[in-house]
Each structure stands twice: as C-alpha cells, then as structure tokens.
C-alpha cells in the first residue's frame, strides 16, 4: 500500500560533497518537510556522515555498491555497476518503494538510469531537464526546458516539452493560466533558426498548449512567461550563464560597494540586505533540474550541491509527487495532440 | 587621398531615438574623439536636431531620403529606397569617402546593405555580428560572435568567426596572445550538438586559430577566453539575456537594499557606488555589434540607442579603422586555412 507521505530516494553517494552534504540536506528535509527519506549508498559511509544526535531510527538506509564516476560513460558505467547507488535508487521507484529520486551525481548517468529502469511516459519521445527560475515579478517563477538532456532537437520534442511544462506549471507551481513561450531571437513567427520556425508553427497549431509566442533572451526572466521551451544546447548555455551571472554580480558588488568612507559605512549597514540579495540570485536556491518525461520523478542536482541545494531538491521532488505531476502529464495525452501529424513525426528509437 | 582621421558615416535616421539622440552622440564623438563625422539623412531633420551652439561647420551632412522601417523586409526595403540613409551611408564607404558606418536602424537592413554594397571579405562565407563584453577580470574584455547574423550555421562558418575574432582581439583589443573558445555545454571534445562537435574538430585542426577549448555558459564572462564563437541563434539569446540581467540586478538592488532603517541609510551612503555599478552592468556601454566579414567597417547599434550608446559605437568604429582590422583579417588569409577541406566545404552562394 502506498504511503501518503512522499518517499524520496536520495543518491547519497552522488556529487562532489557526497555523502556528507547530501546526508545533511536529507536530514534537514526529514525534519522540516513532510517526507520519508531513503538514503541509498554505502551504509558505513552514510552512518559515518550522520551527526551524533541524528534520529537514525527515522531514516532508512538502502545499501548500494559504488557510484558512477564523472569520467565514466553513463551506459557502460550503469551496466558494469548494477548495484551503483543511482541504479538502486531508480529501482526503488520502479518497485514502488519510493516516489522520487534525487541525485547530485553524474547527470548523464542519472538520466540514462531513469530511462533504462523507469522508461518514458507514453507520448514522450525525449525526456527533458526542466529548471524553475525566479523572475523579475516577485513570487512568479519561470520553468525552462530543456536545459541539457537533448542537444539536437526536432520540433515535436519541443512541442512535448511545452505540454509537459504547462502541466507542471499549472498543477505544481499553481499557475491557473500558464503562458508558454518559445525561446527565439525575435517576436515574429518568421524569426529564428529552422528548428524555431518549425516549432513555432506546431505550438501555434496545438490547441492544448497555451502558447503566447516567442520569448527573446531579454524576456526569459521578465515574468511574462511561465514556461519557456528550447533545445537542450541553448537551454544549457543559458542556464549556466544565468547561474554564473549571480556570482559575477555578487563579485561586482563586493568590489564596487566598499569604496570611500561612505561606501564602507554603507556596506556595513547593508550586510543583512546583501545576504538577502545573495539568496535571491544564488543558484543553489533552485535546487536542481527536474527530469520530465520519464515514468518517475527524478531531480538532477548540481554536482557541487551542498546541504541547502539538496534540501531544495527534495522539496522540489515532494511538490512533484504531492501534485501527481506524472499522472497529470499522462492525462493531458500528449500522444495524440490534435493537428500535429507533421513530416517529422517519424517513429524512431 | 585618404584622410588619416577615421571618417565615420552615421545613419542619422536609424533607431528609436533618431535623429535627435544619434546626432547628439555623433556631436560628442566629434568633440571628444579624433574622428570626422558624416551625418547621413534628411538635412532638415538633422539641422533641427542640432543644439544652437553646435559647430555646424565642422559637421558634414550627407543628404538621404527616408529610412528602412522596422517592419520592412530588408531586401525589398533597400531596393525600393535606394536613397535610404543606410544605403547612402554604405555607398560612402564603398566610394572611399568614409571608413565606417554606424547605424542604430533596422539591423537586418544594415547587414543586407553592407553585403550588397560592400560585399564580403575574400574567404568569408558569412559575416558575423560580434560584441565585446566586460568580464570578471577588470580591464579584460571578451568578444562573442556571432550574436545574430546567422541563425543556422555550418562548422566552417564558426571556424571563420574564430579567425576574425582572434585577429580583432589581437590588433584592436591589443591582446598579445588571444584565447579562442567554442561555446558549448561541456569541456570535453565529445560534448555538444552536432554543430559544436564538428566545429571543435575544425578549430582543433586549424594551426592559425589559438583555440583553447570549449567555453560553457558559466565561462563566458570569466575572463578565461578572449574570443568565444557560437551560432547566431545561441549568441543572440545569450546577448539579450545578458543585457536584461543588468536591469534585473539593478531592480533587485533597488527592491532589496532600502529595507529597514539601516538599509535606507546604507543606500543613501552608497548612491555614488550604485551609479558606478550601473555603469559596469549597463548594456549601453558596449556600444553595439561589429559586423565582421564584410569589406567595410559597420557598427550595428541597438534600436534603443541613445547618445551614450552612439558615442560608444563611434569609438568602436574608430578603433577598428585605426587598427586596420579589415586588412589584418584579409592578411590572415582565412581563404586557405590548412587542413580544413571538410565534407561541408560545398561552394554555395
């Protein structure tokens, strides 16, 4: 029988700061969020990472052997190490012992393990990695997908991303009337590269997708759009740039603010405000990417994740579980959207 | 006989704030930079934009009729209006009466006019728009190209961009040993979309290009790279995003800084510092894009340009003229780089 609390399997061995920071983030989530935690990895190392006062009884440790290293080719690694933590974590979801996986390990391996062990949702050709970023409008977020799973896309992939994104926006982020945009280099339908022009047409013709038009680079964080679709190459470049810009700005503030006596005094007075600004710009806050389109909920966190990122990733997973995002996507029936039988609907794979 | 001062033809009718702001920027450049200015456009409107104290004798007004409107299809517009300001400005360069063109008008029309009236440099298949952005390392800039001229690229186009960029970096920006990067989603040669993987190989094999590897989104502003090449779709998205981020950050500062009594006091003390930060982040500072690969120097400024942007664009043009960037590019002989006869070297156009 399925628990009503979201059960999150954590790849305790994945990431630059595993297992210590991963375990710390998981423990905090266990305390502050209404979730069950399954820590997947080497039991001895996990035990050693637990603080003395940890409530060990409330935790479940699921043993695994090894992890996929960053230099390993995902498929080879996953096959050579069937008991690797990411494989074991995905199996927990497959066997309905967990509802979601969070991993800060090798992201290609996490994606491949999800595809191999969970499979794709029906009607989805390619899963996408989605991130939710804050916008200029306080309290309003934008979901961007794909940010790295598919570097060469066909128009129908982006159409499916739009569908999944709008469902997520509506049911998880609670946007009553989500607005979908296509990342492009101009407002007009005729603008863009071949992929963008053909995708624009598909989105325009799909009555299920609340498409409002092209989003230029300057519109991404404007708050005008709730969902923005793009191929994984552009999306990844944009996301990494956006994350870095946070640090760039913080560094400029550090360099520029303390000049002169007034500057130094001003900076001292502003310390608490600067901390808040850092929080608002810092990428650790968004927790990670959501792998949308596989038959399970998977959060792919940064390799550099520390406890706060892991905590946010677990919250993201919990929200996706609680709001039954997979069922919603499946119910929206992307398999047979009207009017989309196009020349590129070849059945490949 | 060619003047030794750079002679800059300004499309006085191009841009949202033409002619007033364009003329104002040109006048300032005339005062502060060692350049000759040719204002191209409707003489009456230009005269009306001149402040009463302007030294009219030092200015040359070249009459033109009309301008290409933003909604016009470039080629149609250029043919229908042979006397449009952008056509007349390009003709001045063609007839060696000017050394460079600056326009804040329809950027597609400026590009098309340059191609039609000036032609391409030998060995260049596609001109690219390049921008120079500040980096985290004070005083160090990065040139990014293409940011919008070519939305669908072939590997050899990017190879040519790399060549033009490294010449520009060396001779105009004065970087002794420019480092060229390929915008990509990972460090390894095997990473990226089809275009990136094939371009990586070409750049690696070209002994003339100082290629140091892939640049991820997070590396763009790091200062590690002097030149970063990408297709015009990704580049345009990135540039517009980067420009917008400046405003986003300034807005967050405005919203977050003044909280609490200490915050308010701190903000007051910091006013001059905030102005400096704005200057460092604001996109108006970079002046515009340089159209590289046509047989003439053309600066394409923002449609929203006001006098400071126009001034910076004119400075950019002057630097390109003074450093003989076209001759340098031509001398680097991109026409026959060794080892680049690839399957995509079809002679088209």
């Amino acid at each position: 029988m399925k628990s009503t609390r979201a059960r999150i399997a954590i790849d305790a061995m994945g990431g630059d700061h595993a297992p210590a920071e991963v375990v710390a983030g998981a423990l905090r989530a266990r305390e502050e969020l209404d979730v069950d935690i399954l820590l997947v990895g080497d039991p001895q190392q996990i035990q050693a990472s637990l603080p003395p006062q940890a409530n060990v009884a409330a935790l479940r440790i699921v043993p695994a052997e090894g992890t996929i290293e960053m230099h390993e080719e995902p498929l080879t690694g996953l096959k050579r190490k069937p008991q690797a933590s990411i494989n074991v974590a995905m199996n927990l979801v497959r066997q309905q012992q967990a509802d979601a996986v969070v991993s800060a390990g090798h992201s290609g391996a996490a994606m491949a393990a999800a595809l191999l062990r969970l499979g794709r949702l029906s009607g989805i050709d390619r899963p996408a990695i989605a991130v939710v970023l804050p916008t200029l409008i306080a309290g309003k977020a934008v979901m961007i997908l794909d940010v790295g799973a598919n570097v060469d896309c066909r128009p129908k992939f982006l159409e499916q991303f739009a569908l999944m994104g709008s469902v997520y926006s509506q049911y998880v982020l609670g946007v009553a009337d989500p607005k979908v945009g296509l990342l492009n280099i101009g407002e007009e339908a005729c603008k863009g590269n071949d992929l963008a022009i053909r995708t624009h047409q598909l989105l325009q013709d799909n009555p299920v997708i609340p498409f409002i038009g092209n989003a230029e680079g300057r519109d991404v964080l404007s708050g005008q759009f709730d969902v923005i679709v793009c191929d994984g190459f552009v999306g990844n470049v944009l996301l990494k740039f956006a994350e870095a810009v946070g640090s760039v700005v913080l560094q400029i503030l550090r360099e520029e603010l303390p000049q002169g006596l007034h500057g130094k005094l001003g900076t001292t007075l502003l310390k608490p405000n600067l901390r808040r600004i850092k929080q608002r710009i810092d990428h650790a806050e968004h927790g990670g990417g959501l792998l949308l389109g596989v038959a399970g909920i998977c959060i792919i966190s940064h390799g550099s994740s520390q406890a706060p990122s892991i905590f946010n990733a677990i919250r993201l997973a919990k929200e996706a579980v609680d709001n039954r995002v997979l069922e919603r996507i499946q119910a929206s029936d992307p398999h047979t959207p009207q009017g989309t039988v196009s020349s590129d609907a070849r059945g490949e794979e």
Side-chain angles (χ1 to χ4, degrees), chain A:
Chain A
M1 215 187 108
K2 198 182 158 181
S3 158
T4 52
R5 282 158 68 102
R7 301 160 305 174
I8 320 284
I10 317 284
D11 174 7
M13 313 311 286
D16 305 342
H17 306 289
E21 289 289 325
V22 178
V23 169
L27 283 177
R28 191 185 140 202
R30 175 72 188 67
E31 294 295 313
E32 297 181 26
L33 308 173
D34 190 29
V35 290
D36 285 339
I37 297 289
L38 296 91
L39 288 170
V40 182
D42 179 73
Q44 256 182 307
Q45 286 190 54
I46 293 174
Q47 295 277 6
S49 301
L50 292 171
Q53 75 278 18
N55 180 2
V56 183
L59 283 173
R60 214 183 118 198
I61 297 176
V62 181
E65 285 166 30
T67 184
I68 312 299
E69 304 293 338
M70 289 311 287
H71 62 266
E72 283 188 273
E73 198 282 309
L75 286 177
T76 321
L78 291 171
K79 276 182 192 162
R80 256 206 6 228
K81 303 176 183 171
Q83 291 305 310
S85 52
I86 189 69
N87 271 330
V88 173
M90 291 294 172
N91 277 342
L92 289 173
V93 173
R94 183 183 187 155
Q95 293 152 5
Q96 296 180 20
Q97 293 175 42
D99 302 304
V101 171
V102 168
S103 175
H106 191 314
S107 63
M111 218 159 29
L115 272 169
L116 286 173
R117 313 245 156 199
L118 308 177
R120 286 170 290 149
L121 289 177
S122 120
I124 302 298
D125 288 283
R126 293 280 192 289
I129 301 177
V131 288
V132 178
L133 298 181
T135 71
L136 259 184
I137 299 172
K140 199 168 191 320
V142 60
M143 167 166 262
I144 303 173
L145 71 170
D146 176 24
V147 297
N150 311 278
V151 292
D152 288 295
C153 282
R154 291 199 275 132
K156 72 165 173 174
F157 302 166
L158 269 69
E159 185 187 21
Q160 294 163 4
F161 301 165
L163 210 123
M164 295 192 290
S166 63
V167 168
Y168 189 92
S169 178
Q170 189 172 352
Y171 293 105
V172 183
L173 303 178
V175 179
D177 185 17
K179 295 180 181 63
V180 174
L182 169 66
L183 191 61
N184 208 332
I185 62 165
E187 284 176 22
E188 305 85 351
C190 62
K191 282 288 174 76
N193 55 15
D194 182 59
L195 174 66
I197 293 170
R198 288 164 65 209
T199 303
H200 189 102
Q201 189 63 53
L202 280 189
L203 294 177
Q204 195 89 277
D205 292 347
N206 190 321
V208 178
I209 296 171
F211 178 57
I212 63 160
N214 292 338
E216 296 186 68
R218 70 171 67 98
D219 305 320
V220 171
L221 302 180
S222 70
Q224 282 174 265
F225 296 88
D226 301 291
V227 177
I228 293 177
V229 295
C230 55
D231 75 60
F233 187 88
V234 185
N236 187 275
V237 165
L238 194 69
L239 176 67
K240 286 181 179 157
F241 183 81
E243 289 171 353
V245 160
S247 330
V248 171
V249 167
L250 292 170
Q251 177 163 336
I252 291 180
L253 284 179
R254 265 192 299 270
E255 283 175 21
E256 298 287 346
L257 281 182
Q259 294 192 14
L261 181 62
H262 281 179
K264 280 199 184 99
L265 186 55
T267 309
T268 310
L269 292 172
L270 285 176
K271 275 256 163 78
N273 299 295
L274 290 179
R275 219 167 292 135
R276 216 176 39 249
I277 292 172
K278 184 171 181 323
Q279 239 169 45
R280 206 165 143 184
I281 314 183
D282 203 359
H283 74 76
E285 295 301 310
H286 71 70
L290 189 81
L291 185 62
L292 278 180
V294 293
I297 290 162
C298 309
I299 309 293
I300 297 182
S301 294
H302 262 271
S304 63
S305 290
Q306 297 191 308
S309 281
I310 298 290
F311 173 82
N312 285 321
I314 294 171
R315 184 168 50 194
L316 205 60
K318 172 191 154 58
E319 285 165 3
V321 172
D322 289 354
N323 293 288
R324 309 191 350 260
V325 68
L326 298 183
E327 292 157 62
R328 306 281 194 184
I329 289 174
Q330 209 64 105
S332 77
D333 197 13
H335 202 44
T336 50
Q338 294 103 303
T340 58
V341 179
S342 74
S343 61
D344 82 320
R346 288 182 263 137
E348 62 158 51
E349 274 205 0

